[in-house]
Amino acid sequence: MNTRTGRRAGVLLGSTLAVLTAMPATAALASTHAPASVSAGRLVLEPTEGGYQGTLPVTITNRSRIAEYYSIQVLEPVAGSFDGLRPTGACVNGGRVENRRVMACGVDGPDLKPGERRTLSVTFEVRTAPRSYAMIAKGGRVEVVPGHTQQVADGANFTARFRGTDGSLRNPRPYVQDTSANASLTAGTDALTLTRQADGTYAGRLPVTVRYAGDAPHDYLAVRAALPAGVEIAGTDPQDSPSFGEFFDVPGGRMNAGEVRTFAVLFRAPTETVVGDLGAVELTLSTRYGADEVADASPADNSLQVTLSASDNS
């Protein structure tokens, strides 16, 4: 991290409280004497195969007499919908307001000269089933923070409209997001044999399927394994994140409403394993939003048990 990036990261974290404490229609410092101003365009979320996507144009203006660097703070209009900033800037999660994240992002590029304007694009993705009718979300807010003050200089509210699959934006209905997850985990078999490998260890693959109903906000799904002595999780196939001891992530990241995902869990046992029954492994699925676990509407189908055994026959 270079000096400028480090300074900007400090601005992002130090100024987030201004968003968390109040969401006024107009920022208290928004005036001709403010060191910066910000305006937000229109956010229309277009239906896609996996839900809705949209881009919010944001323009910041340097109203001071010196060249300045800036960060912006974005209260996402729908929980879990923030997808990034263009041009790319470093973003950190600064907390939540009504379960919606406040993302603080550095503004890439050279410092803005006095009077200079710069337009950015904030992208959003809502992973819910597209509807035939238009919808509207509560809305979000964007604020600009000059580097030398590290305080919010100006802010603008914006709404989020969902275009119906019929193409309409008229007469929108309120969008209501699920607050509880509805995920399930099933296995392709209730018994798995680990077979001896060339190096003398034992290995096996367990096919599992994860289903995600509803549109509760989440960042990823994780599985905790209660394992027989000596057995460990070697990973998943496919695998896009490392497994840690008895935990692993469901490959592929966030899931769309109604999505079904099948993959293999890889088990391994050491060379000294005694052939025969090894005991049962229990896998428990959880939905994660940041550091928090999202309560599941039907937790009974989040766990399963599979009996493991070891064999010298390949």
Side-chain angles (χ1 to χ4, degrees), residues 104-281:
C105 303
V107 175
D108 247 4
D111 293 352
L112 273 72
K113 299 175 182 178
E116 183 181 355
R117 294 183 177 181
R118 185 170 299 166
T119 298
L120 315 168
S121 297
V122 186
T123 59
F124 298 93
E125 182 177 32
V126 181
R127 296 186 175 226
T128 190
R131 276 71 149 183
S132 60
Y133 50 85
M135 297 186 292
I136 188 168
K138 186 174 183 179
R141 182 171 175 83
V142 60
E143 296 184 337
V144 61
V145 180
H148 79 280
T149 68
Q150 299 192 20
Q151 295 182 354
V152 173
D154 191 20
N157 295 334
F158 61 91
T159 58
R161 288 197 176 228
F162 297 70
R163 189 184 303 278
T165 55
D166 62 358
S168 175
L169 287 171
R170 295 183 179 180
N171 304 316
R173 306 180 193 180
Y175 168 63
V176 180
Q177 188 176 30
D178 292 340
T179 56
S180 297
N182 191 0
S184 66
L185 175 68
T186 56
T189 179
D190 59 4
L192 176 66
T193 299
L194 309 186
T195 58
R196 185 181 288 274
Q197 307 298 298
D199 63 358
T201 62
Y202 294 81
R205 298 167 56 93
L206 176 68
V208 297
T209 299
V210 172
R211 292 174 171 82
Y212 196 79
D215 59 7
H218 66 287
D219 294 312
Y220 64 99
L221 280 73
V223 177
R224 175 176 54 82
L227 297 162
V231 178
E232 62 180 10
I233 299 293
T236 62
D237 183 19
Q239 180 164 339
D240 53 19
S241 61
S243 56
F244 297 95
E246 299 176 345
F247 292 86
F248 61 88
D249 294 349
V250 173
R254 290 188 296 168
M255 297 185 69
N256 300 328
E259 184 178 354
V260 178
R261 197 173 291 172
T262 297
F263 59 99
V265 182
L266 309 181
F267 293 91
R268 182 170 53 205
T271 56
E272 62 269 22
T273 299
V274 177
V275 171
D277 285 343
L278 301 178
V281 58

Side-chain angles (χ1 to χ4, degrees), residues 277-288:
D277 285 343
L278 301 178
V281 58
E282 182 175 22
L283 301 179
T284 302
L285 177 71
S286 63
T287 302
R288 314 296 299 189

Side-chain angles (χ1 to χ4, degrees), residues 11-29:
V11 172
L12 305 188
L13 293 171
S15 58
T16 300
L17 268 185
V19 179
L20 297 175
T21 53
M23 288 292 156
T26 304
L29 297 178

Side-chain angles (χ1 to χ4, degrees), residues 11-75:
V11 172
L12 305 188
L13 293 171
S15 58
T16 300
L17 268 185
V19 179
L20 297 175
T21 53
M23 288 292 156
T26 304
L29 297 178
S31 70
T32 56
H33 301 291
S37 64
V38 64
S39 62
R42 189 184 189 202
L43 175 60
V44 175
L45 296 163
E46 304 285 351
T48 67
E49 184 177 345
Y52 292 84
Q53 294 179 345
T55 300
L56 174 74
V58 173
T59 300
I60 59 175
T61 304
N62 182 354
R63 298 193 178 280
S64 71
R65 297 179 179 177
I66 61 172
E68 181 63 286
Y69 64 93
Y70 295 93
S71 63
I72 62 170
Q73 298 176 156
V74 181
L75 171 64

